[in-house]
């Protein structure tokens, strides 16, 4: 379950930010996760609750914002949104797509006290 190590990484970033910016509590964490990032959000939510115990983010709400899959079609040149990596171009039906978005994962912001 790599979601546990993802949650640990999030905790480390939060703790570093708390030390650097002088806040003592996080009430909400908003994460942007791309459709193709391979993260199970239910597992991440569970891991987040477990890993944040004893940290400045204990009891914080995790909000996941799913980012769409994006690709460039080599057949028609369109920038398109796709649901699955191997989907054809929704504009022309072509199969030569270069994924250009949807693999990212980042902390968008923190709500702190």
């Amino acid at each position: 379950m790599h979601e546990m190590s993802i949650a640990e990484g999030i905790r480390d970033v939060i703790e570093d930010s708390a030390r650097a910016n002088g806040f003592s509590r996080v009430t909400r964490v908003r994460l942007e996760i791309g459709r193709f990032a391979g993260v199970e959000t239910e597992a991440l939510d569970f891991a987040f609750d477990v890993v944040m115990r004893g940290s400045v983010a204990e009891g914080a709400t995790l909000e996941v914002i799913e980012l769409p899959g994006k690709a460039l079609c080599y057949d028609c040149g369109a920038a398109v949104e796709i649901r699955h990596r191997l989907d054809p171009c929704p504009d022309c039906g072509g199969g030569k797509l270069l994924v250009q978005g949807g693999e990212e994962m980042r902390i968008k912001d923190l709500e702190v006290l």
Side-chain angles (χ1 to χ4, degrees):
M1 175 162 141
H2 75 286
E3 285 78 4
M4 190 67 76
S5 61
I6 292 170
E8 289 170 344
I10 293 167
R11 181 198 56 215
D12 293 345
V13 169
I14 291 170
E15 293 287 345
D16 289 346
S17 185
R19 278 190 294 278
N21 296 294
F23 57 85
S24 60
R25 185 154 182 253
V26 176
T27 57
R28 182 172 63 150
V29 176
R30 291 195 317 158
L31 279 183
E32 292 180 328
I33 301 177
R35 175 176 288 282
F36 305 139
V39 177
E40 292 291 331
T41 54
E42 287 181 17
L44 180 59
D45 194 45
F46 172 79
F48 181 85
D49 287 341
V50 171
V51 168
M52 296 305 151
R53 291 181 189 152
S55 76
V56 297
E58 182 170 2
T61 302
L62 177 63
E63 182 181 324
V64 174
I65 301 162
E66 185 177 289
L67 301 176
K70 295 183 180 182
L72 174 66
C73 177
Y74 283 126
D75 291 329
C76 70
V80 296
E81 284 191 15
I82 55 174
R83 294 192 51 77
H84 306 285
R85 285 184 179 273
L86 299 177
D87 281 354
C89 175
D91 289 353
C92 74
K96 294 183 232 162
L97 298 170
L98 174 65
V99 172
Q100 294 190 316
E103 298 174 325
E104 56 275 289
M105 181 175 58
R106 65 183 155 261
I107 298 172
K108 180 173 177 65
D109 56 32
L110 304 173
E111 188 174 283
V112 301
L113 298 176

